[in-house]
Amino acid sequence: MDEDTGALPPKHQFSEWYNDILWRAEIMDVRYPVKGLYVWYPYGFAIRKNVYQQLRNLLDRDHQEALFPLLIPEQEFMKEAEHIKGFEDEVYWVTHGGTTPLDVKLALRPTSETAIYPMYALWIRSHADLPLKIYQIVNTFRYETKHTRPLIRLREITSFKEAHTVHATWEEANKQVEDAINRYQEFYDGLCIPVLISRRPDWDKFPGADYTIAVDTIMPDGRSLQIGTVHHLGDHFSKTFAIQYEDKNGEQQFAHQTCYGISERSIAALISLHGDDKGLILPPIIAPIQMVIVPIMIGNRHEDVIKSAKDLENELLKMGFRTKLDTREIRPGAKYYWWELRGVPLRLELGPRDIDSGKVMAVKRTGEKVALERSDIKAGINRILAEISNVMRQNAKEHLKNRLCTVKSIEGLNAALNEGKVAVVHWCDERMCGDALEERSNATILGTDVKSAYIPRTNGECIICGKKGKVTLVGRAY
Ligand code: 5CA
Ligand code: ZN
């Protein structure tokens, strides 16, 4: 490990803070010698495990997990015209086996439609096989040319959760889109991350999709981050890959499909939205260590305190709390600093006086210190952990709300963006106006049909042409 020298930059210097916290809190090591590829430290990996467990829990309700190969033969990859166009500049190709050139080039999946759908064509026969809902969690490769950043823009996405569903009709697939959005919202609510949901402009949809719904959040610097997408694929892929089923009348029909994905950007958002000047703050359901016990050794009762702390640790472990007793021979203050940096939600302090009075001092990572009754520790801790999650969720919502700004003119839009806001405008949904809007603001249209508690669906005039417009989000995106 690196020597813990110097201090974490303040959070308002977000980009320095972000880069620093990744190694100080032992999440990612960015020194791997290939651009856009990074290493998960064990602590970061433990966070990842818990985040993805949440995602699995949500999907396992009615999806099945499977695993498809990493390599995709060129002819499969090249089948869907829009899809190829969208990805051709980003694909890594395997061209040799040893020194022998391959007859068929193999793509490293940038996403797995073209790996999965030829198999779906074999698996699906009749309407009774539908709906089919499968997901996998894998690494994918994209030769990104924009500035790469750990957890945010990767060339190897290590934690790509992709779900691929098949339905009898366009309407059923449409319902699945709705369901997936709700599921993602639930996932992010569990991580205490507020999101903005909108429909991407047509030119920005997933290559090969009918339409794309995006889940964005706003980072501490005011830039938006796309942390999930849900795509209605219509029958584009089913026609290309011959995914057909026999309907109730014995006729062959093309299926309708959706796919939706989440990557470790979810963890970038988790770190960034909740952290503070002292380091990470992890929601209790995610924290690899939910509570650390720090024995306070004053006077001559060392053994007494250590024994009581060990008893407490065992009790809490038995109750199922992820607990760690810190008996290192360093100052308590140094321990506080260490665990605060790593985002542990709760610190329990136990000294001779607490032991005598049957209490444990509980210090929340979100601030505030309370005395818990040792005899009723389980209820006390459950209550406090719930309070921590609520405060985290509330703070993050407050941040998001403060980062939104409704504007009526291009000048207003530019001012809002320069202040680090995501702007709410009206736009007529025409490409011409969209291009002008993006050009004159040096920003991106995130989407229309916005679903957010903070943004009412109002009528208004297009900020460019003055015709009737829809509520639209505009931001500077990561
Ligand atoms: N096949 C579809 C759905 S699984 C798909 O590939 N959609 S995607 O291209 O929009 O990617 C899904 C999500 O992965 C995005 O919403 C984004 O949050 C994340 N993502 C995309 N590219 C990267 C990247 N280079 N690094 C990290 N995350 C990424
Ligand atoms: Zn317009």
Side-chain angles (χ1 to χ4, degrees), residues 35 174 195 442 454:
K35 185 177 151 69
N174 210 39
V195 296
N442 188 25
Y454 315 112

Side-chain angles (χ1 to χ4, degrees), residues 419-440:
E419 269 173 48
K421 310 256 175 173
V422 167
V424 182
V425 306
H426 286 89
W427 167 54
C428 65
D429 217 351
E430 296 292 336
R431 178 85 197 237
M432 282 269 280
C433 284
D435 286 346
L437 205 174
E438 291 191 338
E439 208 168 290
R440 291 173 63 185

Side-chain angles (χ1 to χ4, degrees), residues 83 87 110-113 142 144 149 151-157 160-164 184 206-207 212 215 226-231 259-265:
H83 193 68
F87 280 105
T111 167
S112 303
E113 283 72 12
R142 295 184 182 184
E144 296 276 1
R149 264 176 225 279
L151 301 174
I152 292 178
R153 178 160 283 105
L154 308 162
R155 286 186 171 174
E156 180 187 6
I157 309 174
F160 197 68
K161 189 289 297 168
E162 47 179 328
H164 295 267
Y184 280 0
F206 183 68
T212 290
V215 179
Q226 173 184 299
I227 51 175
T229 30
V230 182
H231 314 288
C259 67
Y260 32 101
I262 276 186
S263 77
E264 55 256 62
R265 278 188 187 180

Side-chain angles (χ1 to χ4, degrees), residues 169-181 197-214 229-237 256-260 448-449 470:
T169 63
W170 195 93
E171 287 72 27
E172 275 174 41
N174 210 39
K175 279 209 199 93
Q176 187 62 32
V177 167
E178 198 59 41
D179 188 74
I181 295 165
I197 288 167
S198 69
R199 184 184 175 116
R200 286 272 187 266
D202 234 35
W203 63 84
D204 202 18
K205 68 185 181 189
F206 183 68
D210 263 5
Y211 69 87
T212 290
I213 305 288
T229 30
V230 182
H231 314 288
H232 195 314
L233 301 177
D235 57 9
H236 305 182
F237 285 91
H256 294 263
Q257 295 177 269
T258 81
C259 67
Y260 32 101
T448 55
D449 302 331
K470 291 182 181 179

